[in-house]
Amino acid sequence: TPEFKGYIDFNADGTFEMYQQVWSFDYELYTGKYVITGDVMTGTYADGSNWACGYRVKVVDGQLYMYSQEDKSVTSVYDKCTIPAEIKAEASATRSMEVVPFL
């Protein structure tokens, strides 16, 4: 399992920006759209590829819980915070297939 840090900004207009740092000092930027139907969130990256799976989501006390809908479910927990400006400024848009987004 790779070690990573990540920030996701889910915008009210159905778009997202995801900043992730996987086995690197650099943050990579992924953008796209998401949809919530009931309690399940799915998404598509700007290049048209879908997220690896859908996620059952809930928010409790400022934390976002995302339960992957895979054969072996993984739970991810995100704390509500402000994405640091330096991460946004330094992130590069990812085009390489070598860096895989974690959603």
Side-chain angles (χ1 to χ4, degrees):
T1 303
E3 297 228 359
F4 68 89
K5 294 180 184 176
Y7 296 90
I8 305 173
D9 191 2
F10 292 108
N11 302 301
D13 67 356
T15 62
F16 72 90
E17 293 93 34
M18 180 173 61
Y19 302 85
Q20 80 175 32
Q21 182 186 50
V22 181
W23 288 321
S24 171
F25 292 112
D26 300 321
Y27 278 87
E28 303 290 338
L29 171 62
Y30 294 88
T31 61
K33 297 180 184 252
Y34 72 94
V35 175
I36 298 176
T37 305
D39 67 347
V40 175
M41 181 187 299
T42 57
T44 305
Y45 293 100
D47 69 0
S49 61
N50 292 325
W51 290 357
C53 65
Y55 294 85
R56 195 169 47 83
V57 296
K58 71 177 181 177
V59 176
V60 177
D61 297 328
Q63 290 185 312
L64 172 64
Y65 290 79
M66 297 179 71
Y67 305 93
S68 67
Q69 295 187 308
E70 300 171 290
D71 292 338
K72 183 177 179 184
S73 183
V74 175
T75 301
S76 300
V77 181
Y78 298 91
D79 292 316
K80 184 176 181 179
C81 69
T82 300
I83 301 173
E86 61 270 13
I87 289 174
K88 287 184 172 186
E90 293 174 9
S92 59
T94 301
R95 305 278 187 265
S96 170
M97 293 307 293
E98 295 174 13
V99 180
V100 178
F102 63 88
L103 288 178

